[in-house]
C-alpha cells in the first residue's frame, strides 16, 4: 500500500472533510500503538506528529526490549512480571524486530554493587520463572575465569563472576514505523510534520478536535474528532497547555539519556553486557554490539532544555568514557574514537518515585538487612517452600523501611499514566517501549467507553504490525526464506539478510522497487525506493537516521551515500535548488552532531 508524500497530501485534504472518532497527538511508540489498535478496531482515526515519526524519543532509546531485570534491584516483582509478559507480546506481533540476545551481567565486589553472585542467581531465577524462560535461553552463572574467557577486556580486579540471562535487542524507530504503517493500512490518517497549535472545544466546552499546522507548507487546518488523546511523551505538558480548559497539573519530569558508538575493533564484546558504574551512584551501564560497532550508555540526568533538541555534552562523554574505560581498562577509548552518538529524553512522571529506569539506588536503596531478607524469601519461593504472598510481604516490609528523601533522576518510575481532564482530553504518558502495546490497550478501553462502546476492540496480542506476518516461533528460518528471495534478485547473502531483518514480511514488496538509483548499490536502491513510496520519508535525515541506521551504526558507508540519496529525493519530490541545499545542510548538521564534531574541535583547540 502506497504511503508517501502523495498520500500525505491526500490525507491532509481528507482529514478536513470528516469527523473522526479519534485524534492521536504524537507519533512516537505510544501514539503509534494507540493508532494501530484504534484503526484495526474500526475507529475513524488520525494521528499527527509535529516531527518525523519516532523523532522525539522513540528513536533514542537503549534499543533493547527489556525483561526488566534491573527492577529486581529493589525486587519490584510486579513491574518485572508485567514487563516480561509484554516483551513476549511485542516479540509475537513484531517478530522481525526484537531478537533474543542474552545479556552478560558481570558481578564485582565493590561498594554499592547491585548484586553479589548469590543474589544475582536468585534474581535471574525469579526473572526466568516470571518470564517462562526455559531451555537454551535459561539463565546460568559463570565463574571469574569463564567471564574473562568470554570478555578478556573486562576489568579483572574485584570480578567475582557473572550471570547470563535472556534479553532482546530492538530497533526502536523501526518498531514505530511498522506500527504506523499498519495503522495506515487499516485506514488511519497518519501525518508527520503536522503540529497541533490549539485544542478546540464545542459549545458545551468539551474537546472536539484540534487546530493544526502543516510544518512543510505552513498551512493551518482543523481536525474534528469525538475523542482526542495526547500521547506526546516529553511534550505531554506542552500539549496540555494548548488546551485552555485542561484542569490537570503538569506531570512530566524528563531525564536525558546519552549513548556513544565506537568501532568494534576498539571495544569488541560478544554479547550485550550490563554492569554497575563502579561509582556507587546506583546506575548501571549497557555495552551492546551492533552492526560491527559497539555502543554504550546510558546516563540519567534531569533535563530542562529544548525538548526537540537534547544534546550530548562533554560532561556526558566524560562520565561514560570514565566508566567504560574502568570496566575495559585496555580499551583506552577517547573522544576521538567516538563515531556516533545520540541523546534522548525519557517521559518520566514526576509523582512516581521508587522503581527506576536505570537501576535505582541512591537514597532509596534497600538496606542490607532488608535486601537479604527479600533474597532469602525469594529463594524459598523458587524452591517452592514459600508462597508468593511471602515474597510480596518481604518486599512491602523492605519498601517501608527505605529511607525517605528526594528522588533523583535515576529513581523515577517508568510507570504510565492514563488521565482524562474535565473537558474530555485524554492523556496517556510515561511508560517505556516494552509496555507500549499494553498502554495502548488500556487507553483503547477508555476511548471505546467514551464512544459508547461502539467498537469491538481487537486482541492486540495477536495482531501483527506491518512486516510481522512471519512465524514468531521460527524467526530465523523465516528470515532466511525471505532473504533467499532477495538473493534470487541478485543480492549477496549479507545484503539479503540485512533487508530481510529490516523489513520482515514486507521484503517481497520491497523487492518490487527494483529501479536502480545512480550511485547506490542494489541493496540501497531497494531500500530508498521503498522508503520513499511506502514509509513516508520526507527528508534525508528521516531516511538515514530513522528508516535505516546509517548515521548511528553504518557510519563508514554514510559519506558515499549522502549525495546519491539527496539527488534521488530531490528528483522524487521535485525540490528547488534552495530546498535541496537546505535539506543537505540539515543532514550535515545532524551528522556533525552525531559525530560530536563540535566537542572534538573544542578539544583540539585546547
Amino acid at each position: 500500500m502506497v504511503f508517501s508524500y502523495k498520500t500525505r497530501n491526500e490525507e491532509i485534504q481528507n482529514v478536513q472533510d470528516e469527523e473522526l472518532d479519534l485524534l492521536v497527538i504524537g507519533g512516537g511508540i505510544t501514539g503509534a500503538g494507540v493508532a494501530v489498535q484504534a484503526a484495526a478496531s474500526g475507529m475513524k482515526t488520525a494521528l499527527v506528529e509535529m516531527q518525523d515519526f519516532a523523532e522525539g524519543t522513540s528513536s533514542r532509546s537503549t534499543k533493547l526490549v527489556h525483561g526488566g531485570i534491573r527492577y529486581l534491584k529493589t525486587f519490584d516483582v510486579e513491574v518485572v512480571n508485567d514487563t516480561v509478559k509484554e516483551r513476549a507480546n511485542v516479540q509475537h506481533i513484531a517478530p522481525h524486530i526484537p531478537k533474543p540476545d542474552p545479556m552478560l551481567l558481570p558481578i564485582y565486589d565493590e561498594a554499592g554493587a547491585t548484586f553479589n553472585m548469590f543474589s544475582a542467581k536468585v534474581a535471574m531465577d525469579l526473572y526466568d520463572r516470571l518470564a517462562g524462560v526455559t531451555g537454551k535461553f535459561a539463565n546460568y552463572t559463570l565463574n571469574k575465569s569463564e567471564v574473562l574467557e568470554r570478555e578478556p577486556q573486562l576489568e579483572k580486579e574485584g570480578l567475582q563472576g557473572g550471570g547470563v540471562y535472556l534479553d532482546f535487542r530492538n530497533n526502536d524507530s523501526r518498531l514505530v514505523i511498522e506500527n504506523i504503517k499498519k495503522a495506515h493500512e487499516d485506514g488511519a490518517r497518519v501525518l508527520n510534520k503536522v503540529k497541533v497549535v490549539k485544542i478546540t472545544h464545542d459549545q458545551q466546552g468539551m474537546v472536539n478536535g484540534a487546530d493544526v499546522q502543516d510544518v512543510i507548507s505552513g498551512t493551518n487546518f482543523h481536525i474534528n474528532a469525538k475523542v482526542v488523546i495526547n500521547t506526546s511523551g516529553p511534550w505531554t505538558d506542552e500539549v496540555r497547555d494548548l488546551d485552555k480548559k485542561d484542569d490537570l497539573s503538569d506531570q512530566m519530569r524528563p531525564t536525558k539519556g546519552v549513548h556513544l558508538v565506537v568501532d568494534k575493533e576498539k571495544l569488541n564484546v560478544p554479547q550485550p553486557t550490563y554492569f554497575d558504574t563502579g561509582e556507587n551512584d546506583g546506575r548501571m551501564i549497557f555495552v551492546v554490539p551492533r552492526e560491527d560497532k559497539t555502543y554504550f550508555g546510558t546516563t540519567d540526568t534531569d533535563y530542562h532544555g529544548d525538548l526537540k533538541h537534547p544534546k550530548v555534552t562533554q560532561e556526558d562523554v566524560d562520565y561514560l568514557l570514565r566508566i567504560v574505560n574502568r570496566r575495559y581498562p585496555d580499551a583506552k577509548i577517547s573522544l576521538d574514537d567516538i563515531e556516533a552518538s545520540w541523546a534522548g529524553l525519557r517521559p518520566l512522571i514526576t509523582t512516581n518515585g521508587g522503581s527506576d529506569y536505570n537501576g535505582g539506588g541512591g537514597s532509596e536503596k534497600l538496606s542490607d538487612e532488608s535486601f537479604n531478607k527479600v533474597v532469602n524469601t525469594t529463594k524459598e519461593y523458587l524452591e517452592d517452600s514459600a508462597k508468593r504472598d511471602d515474597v510480596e510481604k518481604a518486599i512491602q516490609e523492605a519498601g517501608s523501611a527505605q529511607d525517605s528523601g528526594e528522588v533523583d533522576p535515576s529513581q523515577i518510575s517508568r510507570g504510565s499514566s492514563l488521565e482524562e481532564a474535565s473537558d474530555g482530553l485524554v492523556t496517556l504518558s510515561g511508560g517505556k517501549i516494552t509496555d507500549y502495546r499494553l498502554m495502548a490497550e488500556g487507553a483503547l478501553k477508555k476511548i471505546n467507553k467514551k464512544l459508547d462502546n461502539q467498537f469491538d476492540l481487537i486482541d492486540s496480542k495477536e495482531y501483527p504490525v506491518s512486516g510481522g506476518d512471519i512465524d514468531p516461533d521460527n524467526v530465523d528460518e523465516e528470515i532466511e526464506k525471505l532473504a533467499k528471495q532477495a538473493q534470487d534478485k541478485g543480492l549477496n547473502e549479507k545484503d539479503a539478510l540485512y533487508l530481510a531483518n529490516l523489513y520482515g514480511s514486507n521484503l517481497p514488496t520491497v523487492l518490487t522497487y527494483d529501479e536502480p538509483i545512480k550511485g547506490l548499490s542494489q541493496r540501497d536502491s531497494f531500500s530508498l525506493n521503498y522508503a520513499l513510496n511506502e514509509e513516508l520519508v520526507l527528508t534525508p535525515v528521516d531516511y538515514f537516521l530513522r528508516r535505516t541506521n546509517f548515521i548511528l551504526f553504518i557510519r563508514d558507508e554514510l559519506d558515499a551515500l549522502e549525495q546519491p540519496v539527496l539527488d534521488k529525493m530531490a528528483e522524487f519530490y521535485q525540490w528547488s535548488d534552495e530546498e535541496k541545499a537546505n535539506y543537505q545542510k540539515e543532514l550535515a548538521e545532524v551528522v556533525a552532531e552525531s559525530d560530536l564534531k563540535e566537542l572534538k574541535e573544542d578539544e583540539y583547540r585546547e
Side-chain angles (χ1 to χ4, degrees), residues 185-221:
E185 180 183 327
D186 287 337
R189 312 292 192 190
V190 184
L191 301 169
N192 55 355
K193 304 186 195 296
V194 170
K195 180 180 181 178
V196 173
V197 295
K198 182 182 178 181
I199 304 295
T200 61
H201 301 82
D202 61 20
Q203 292 182 345
Q204 287 72 45
M206 301 302 291
V207 168
N208 70 350
D211 292 335
V212 302
Q213 181 181 73
D214 179 1
V215 175
I216 295 176
S217 69
T219 303
N220 285 39
F221 57 95

Side-chain angles (χ1 to χ4, degrees), residues 437-475:
R437 186 213 61 84
L438 183 63
M439 291 169 61
E441 182 180 70
L444 259 290
K445 291 176 182 177
K446 185 178 189 69
I447 291 164
N448 197 31
K449 186 176 181 181
K450 288 173 66 65
L451 295 170
D452 299 323
N453 292 314
Q454 296 176 48
F455 301 95
D456 292 326
L457 302 183
I458 62 162
D459 180 359
S460 57
K461 295 189 294 295
E462 299 295 333
Y463 197 73
V465 303
S466 183
D469 290 310
I470 61 178
D471 182 357
D473 296 322
N474 294 285
V475 175

Side-chain angles (χ1 to χ4, degrees), residues 490-505:
L491 278 79
N492 62 43
E493 182 180 5
K494 181 180 179 182
D495 287 348
L497 283 169
Y498 168 84
L499 292 180
N501 280 293
L502 197 64
Y503 299 114
S505 61

Side-chain angles (χ1 to χ4, degrees), residues 169-188:
R169 67 183 182 272
N170 183 36
N171 190 329
D172 48 11
S173 57
R174 292 298 310 175
L175 187 61
V176 174
I177 193 62
E178 299 292 33
N179 276 272
I180 290 287
K181 286 157 59 182
K182 189 64 174 180
H184 176 261
E185 180 183 327
D186 287 337

Side-chain angles (χ1 to χ4, degrees), residues 154-175:
L154 271 171
E155 177 187 19
K156 299 174 180 59
E157 184 177 352
L159 180 65
Q160 295 181 313
V164 177
Y165 65 92
L166 180 62
D167 223 331
F168 281 66
R169 67 183 182 272
N170 183 36
N171 190 329
D172 48 11
S173 57
R174 292 298 310 175
L175 187 61

